[in-house]
Amino acid sequence: MFSIRWLCLVGAVLLHGLEVRSQSTTFSKNVSSCAGYSLQSLQESSTGLVARLSLAGAPCNAFGNDFNNLTLQVTYETETRLRVRIADSGNQQFTIPDSSSDLVFNHESSPFAFWITRRSNPNAAPLFDTRLSSLPKTPIAPVIAGDDSTALDGFPLVFEDQYLQLTSSLPLDTNIYGLGEVVASSGFRRNVVSDGGSIQTLWARDAGDPTDQNIYGTHPVYLEHRFNESTQEAQTHGVFLFSSSGGDIMLLTPPDSTQSLIQYRMIGGVLDFYFFSGPSPQAVIEQYGALVGLPSWLPSWAFGFHLCRWGYVSVNDTMAQVAGMREANIPLEVMWNDIDLYHAFRDFTSDPVSFPGDEVRSFIQQLLRPFLVIPIVDAAVAHLANATDVVSLNPDTGTFVKNPDGSEYIGQVWPGYTVFPDWFANTTQQWWTEALGNWSTGGVEFSGLWLDMNEISSFCTGSCGTGADLNDLSIPPIAIPGTPGNAVTDYPECYNSAVSGPSGNITVNGALTCTNRLGAGGQPQANLNSPPYAIHDGNGALSVNTLATNATHAGGFVELDVHNMWGMMEEKTTHLALQELQPGKRPVMISRSTFPSSGKWTGHWVCDRLIFLVWEYLYYNIQGILQFQIFQIPFVGADTCGFQGNTDEELCNRWMELSAFAPFYRNHNQRGAISQEPYRWASVANSSRIAIATRYSLLPYWTSLFANASTRGTPTVRALWYEFPTEPELFGVDKQFLVGADLLVTPVLLPNVTSVEGIFPGRGTVTWRDFYTHAVVNASNGTATLSAPLNHINVHIRGGAAILLHAEPGYTTTETRNGPFALLVSLDSSQNAFGSAYIDDGITNPPVESRTLTFVAKPNRLEINSNGNFTVAQKLQQITILGVTEKPSEVSVAGKSVNTWEFIPTLQKLVVSNVSVALNSAETVTW
């Protein structure tokens, strides 16, 4: 049912590409004379309203041609979701479902404006307010110095064919989270005030990792968190603009203003807003997931450790990494291959010399077991140059993007001249599935897929292959790192290779190689190619390094309208292909460009956006993971140890430790850089063994978190304020994070230190215990200085938590899952605790048999409840209960007294061993 609804929503966006619009020869590029709209013909019902909006004056034609008539639809879709859609009157109306809502739509007729309030809190400031009386007086000089586009000429509703504008007031310096994808210099909490504010541009772009610019994904959704200091109450709500159009979202605070504002400036589409009432951050994220789709189920092996490099140049080289990891006893679950695998950089091939198909198959089927393999799939497909090419493109089928004249659009990527699949074409799904199937049959028997460069990226501007010699195989068209003349010379700050050499070691000849502290991290008649309003695309012109905006897709859609959706549609097509090729198994995919609903199909690596090997990007890693939880793409993580440039021993230590607590855990770096596999340095190997063993012990916790994500949209990794929303000191904290609700991670993010400052939420009402030693942390004033030697990352368990663990972490997740369980219970001050665990076979798609366990601790008693149809073969071997204030006189399990227990009074720790408790029925432990 939902998929049909989502297709309707996508269709509403795509209608923009079919509009017939008039052409204006000049545009004023100033909205001060725009009269806005007047509301007419209002029709209300119990579930919303429909009205006509008519232009209130002469057309202003600021950046396009004004529509005279608009249709306003307000729909109370559920108790927690309100939809406000403003579109030109030619759009087909939406059938309104029967529902009620805590959110209330209020409006003024002329000029038309609306504001959203809570029914439960009618006297509070509106959540969203477009009234002119609620906004600053205009005109206002540029709010961001040096950017004339941030001048605010006026705040009317503007609805033109190539420019839509809507503005809402916000509380001064409010707490905004989300909007992306971005590496925000302000951190996870978005900048609304500093230097005038910030701009989030919506245009998918192949760009490394610039701060405060548009990059790979497009996600126009945000959380806003408001805290009332008088009542000490807090509420969170969410706002989502469903649009694939390019645009700018301005978060601004004019000088000396007592309020901030958010302004949407879109260059197409419609204004289709969804408001989510929350009132908790977790509820907002779940409500958003209910709309765009919940994350796909993942197999348990996806949570293992993955290893990759651009630069594994042969089967033998890849095998050597497996051997190196095994010899160092560092767990390894999945080996990845970058474009080295390809023959002449072409999708669906393997190099006949370095990666011959039979040897790849043998490697995967015999030498690699029990490991798995994931290869890369680039978005661009090599153009058919001659009849002997491995991949036949069958251009007459209409599978590929076209030029406006109907000829094939030819760009340039790694294999040279390329074409680009058109996901709107009816033939593409079958062709894509067959190509992947043939690839696997040819030897590359993949377990999952890695989708890269799907913003979509092209190295030239426009259809550069038109009229060119397509037999020119001078490839690749740009220099590859590590080739002669293009050496990799960058290292993290404070490592001086000129003095210390290229090893990356912490010490050289006994001297520390890091000598300083962290520094700064550095329509038919529409103008399709250069829209009158220039959004803040980091590349300037919208067609740079991607498809031209006038490229055409099946159905008559133009790239300008659907550009931001390209990656998501590839992800959906590939996911469906994997379901056909690997029936009954859960697909595993990682993709670079994402869009609302991508989490239904794929995960994401915050990779090339975190490519530079500097310490600042170890920190940026955290905000990326937190962002994508909001976006309903929870399977996310960075290229561990960094991708671009040379890492060093210390940075790789700290990154391997941090990534062990990220959902997706992969080490990956670029061709030509020094090797950074964790076995290369003894200290990194040691840290990695400890970190991965901890991660594997927590596999039941991870799989349970992701079961909650796939069934309810619950975020797996959380900002501290999610769990403690009335503690303002946490609203900007993003150098620590929570895994689930119960594990607090405090990583080291600076070089040359052996301690770290940690914030412990709860203001003294919550007990936090060291996950490893079980000692209670002494957090005076809510903070503590924690010891952090090179092989240690601080993790603390929350009082009141009960976590199911694997007692004997193995070399792989399969070995680990076959071993016994342990239970860690951390009692709160009232001697209570609660936890749950989801267990299934870890691979069947969708899950058919599963079991949910709940653990309820009360004073001197632990109850284990079990529900489901999946049989858990492994037994619960050990139970550790923290916070037991007195030594027990007796311990009983399932009504029988046991003597295999130990009490450690200094830690208030009771350990019950060798209990062999079956988990398929209820059991009780007392002490």
Side-chain angles (χ1 to χ4, degrees), residues 334-351:
V334 188
M335 277 298 300
W336 296 55
N337 281 106
D338 210 313
I339 58 176
D340 315 272
L341 170 68
Y342 292 150
H343 173 50
F345 299 106
R346 300 177 183 183
D347 277 348
F348 318 124
T349 68
S350 62
D351 188 273

Side-chain angles (χ1 to χ4, degrees), residues 654-671:
R654 298 303 191 187
W655 215 322
M656 284 294 296
E657 292 163 358
L658 189 156
S659 289
F661 295 91
F664 174 51
Y665 190 10
R666 182 184 72 165
N667 182 308
H668 178 47
N669 75 323
Q670 81 176 140
R671 189 178 188 272

Side-chain angles (χ1 to χ4, degrees), residues 589-752:
M589 286 166 43
I590 291 295
S591 178
R592 198 165 75 174
S593 182
T594 56
F595 183 76
S597 85
S598 281
K600 292 176 62 176
W601 319 113
T602 186
H604 175 66
W605 87 106
V606 286
C607 63
D608 296 2
R609 57 163 292 186
L610 296 172
I611 53 180
F612 292 110
L613 291 163
V614 294
W615 286 79
E616 188 75 5
Y617 283 84
L618 179 58
Y619 155 60
Y620 286 149
N621 174 18
I622 300 174
Q623 67 163 270
I625 294 171
L626 292 173
Q627 281 178 13
F628 277 82
Q629 305 304 307
I630 295 175
F631 304 155
Q632 285 291 339
I633 309 175
F635 191 54
V636 60
D639 278 345
T640 298
C641 297
F643 175 75
Q644 183 166 304
N646 299 302
T647 193
D648 67 12
E649 183 179 357
E650 185 183 11
L651 177 59
C652 198
N653 263 284
R654 298 303 191 187
W655 215 322
M656 284 294 296
E657 292 163 358
L658 189 156
S659 289
F661 295 91
F664 174 51
Y665 190 10
R666 182 184 72 165
N667 182 308
H668 178 47
N669 75 323
Q670 81 176 140
R671 189 178 188 272
I674 65 173
S675 298
Q676 65 183 42
E677 294 83 10
Y679 67 83
R680 300 286 182 176
W681 293 286
S683 67
V684 179
N686 186 40
S687 296
S688 300
R689 284 189 288 265
I690 297 170
I692 297 173
T694 303
R695 180 181 179 89
Y696 284 16
S697 73
L698 284 164
L699 279 176
Y701 191 61
W702 279 113
T703 54
S704 299
L705 290 173
F706 271 81
N708 290 336
S710 296
T711 54
R712 296 196 295 272
T714 309
T716 62
V717 177
R718 306 172 192 177
L720 275 57
W721 68 267
Y722 286 17
E723 295 295 319
F724 302 89
T726 61
E727 300 181 19
E729 63 270 23
L730 302 179
F731 296 168
V733 173
D734 57 5
K735 293 184 178 179
Q736 295 172 264
F737 58 94
L738 289 161
V739 179
D742 300 326
L743 293 179
L744 175 61
V745 182
T746 309
V748 170
L749 303 173
L750 299 173
N752 199 20

Side-chain angles (χ1 to χ4, degrees), residues 863-908:
E863 298 175 353
I864 304 174
N865 298 304
S866 179
N867 292 284
N869 57 358
F870 179 76
T871 300
V872 181
Q874 298 77 15
K875 301 295 180 65
L876 177 59
Q877 181 182 67
Q878 178 175 288
I879 302 170
T880 300
I881 304 172
L882 309 176
V884 178
T885 56
E886 297 180 357
K887 182 177 180 179
S889 58
E890 182 183 25
V891 176
S892 296
V893 177
K896 297 181 180 180
S897 179
V898 297
N899 57 14
T900 55
W901 59 272
E902 177 187 12
F903 182 70
I904 305 171
T906 57
L907 295 174
Q908 297 186 332

Side-chain angles (χ1 to χ4, degrees), residues 438-635:
N438 291 338
W439 195 26
S440 180
T441 301
V444 185
E445 297 180 352
F446 47 79
S447 300
L449 292 171
W450 169 19
L451 305 183
D452 196 13
M453 305 186 72
N454 55 351
E455 294 73 37
I456 180 171
S457 180
S458 179
F459 297 158
C460 66
T461 299
S463 186
C464 58
T466 300
D469 179 7
L470 299 180
N471 290 295
D472 181 3
L473 301 181
S474 299
I475 54 173
I478 64 174
I480 294 179
T483 54
N486 195 25
V488 179
T489 59
D490 295 328
Y491 285 84
E493 59 265 40
C494 92
Y495 183 92
N496 190 336
S497 60
V499 174
S500 306
S503 69
N505 294 333
I506 293 176
T507 60
V508 173
N509 298 325
L512 219 75
T513 57
C514 179
T515 56
N516 66 291
R517 298 298 297 271
L518 177 66
Q523 279 134 351
Q525 299 300 318
N527 190 335
L528 300 179
N529 296 316
S530 298
Y533 176 76
I535 65 175
H536 289 69
D537 177 33
N539 285 339
L542 299 183
S543 295
V544 172
N545 208 32
T546 187
L547 295 186
T549 48
N550 66 350
T552 63
H553 301 260
F557 309 131
V558 294
E559 181 68 11
L560 179 65
D561 288 323
V562 301
H563 171 79
N564 290 326
M565 296 175 59
W566 203 97
M568 180 273 291
M569 295 191 71
E570 182 195 31
E571 291 145 19
K572 178 181 178 181
T573 303
T574 308
H575 185 104
L576 295 176
L578 284 174
Q579 286 186 315
E580 181 175 338
L581 296 171
Q582 301 173 355
K585 295 183 178 180
R586 303 172 194 176
V588 175
M589 286 166 43
I590 291 295
S591 178
R592 198 165 75 174
S593 182
T594 56
F595 183 76
S597 85
S598 281
K600 292 176 62 176
W601 319 113
T602 186
H604 175 66
W605 87 106
V606 286
C607 63
D608 296 2
R609 57 163 292 186
L610 296 172
I611 53 180
F612 292 110
L613 291 163
V614 294
W615 286 79
E616 188 75 5
Y617 283 84
L618 179 58
Y619 155 60
Y620 286 149
N621 174 18
I622 300 174
Q623 67 163 270
I625 294 171
L626 292 173
Q627 281 178 13
F628 277 82
Q629 305 304 307
I630 295 175
F631 304 155
Q632 285 291 339
I633 309 175
F635 191 54

